[in-house]
Amino acid sequence: MKMSKNKKERFYAVYSNLPLNLREEIIVVVDKEPITWKLAKFYIDEETKLGKTILEKLDALKII
């Protein structure tokens, strides 16, 4: 499953500029589960279905 490079690149740009302590903050909730920046990065790195969902939600919320 290919993820949109544009969204993925924007995620990494934002993530790389975050202070380390903020990476533990919850940024989105998917299926009633809170997702932190670090967890989002894990799922996006692995190119999972959940990672794609996270990217879509972050884009819709204009976080990336």
Side-chain angles (χ1 to χ4, degrees):
M1 162 187 344
K2 277 288 188 192
M3 291 188 187
S4 167
K5 277 202 182 233
N6 192 21
K7 290 176 187 167
K8 198 171 180 180
E9 289 169 1
R10 287 184 297 170
F11 173 84
Y12 288 127
V14 172
Y15 185 85
S16 66
N17 288 310
L18 284 174
L20 294 177
N21 61 329
L22 287 183
R23 293 181 181 180
E24 298 295 332
E25 295 290 320
I26 295 168
I27 53 167
V28 70
V29 176
V30 178
D31 296 330
K32 298 183 183 179
E33 291 294 324
I35 306 292
T36 65
W37 282 102
K38 276 188 168 183
L39 192 55
K41 183 179 181 300
F42 171 78
Y43 287 119
I44 292 166
D45 286 348
E46 297 297 315
E47 295 195 358
T48 64
K49 185 176 178 183
L50 181 55
K52 185 174 181 175
T53 301
I54 291 167
L55 282 176
E56 294 297 328
K57 286 188 176 257
L58 292 177
D59 184 50
L61 292 169
K62 304 215 184 300
I63 293 174
I64 59 171

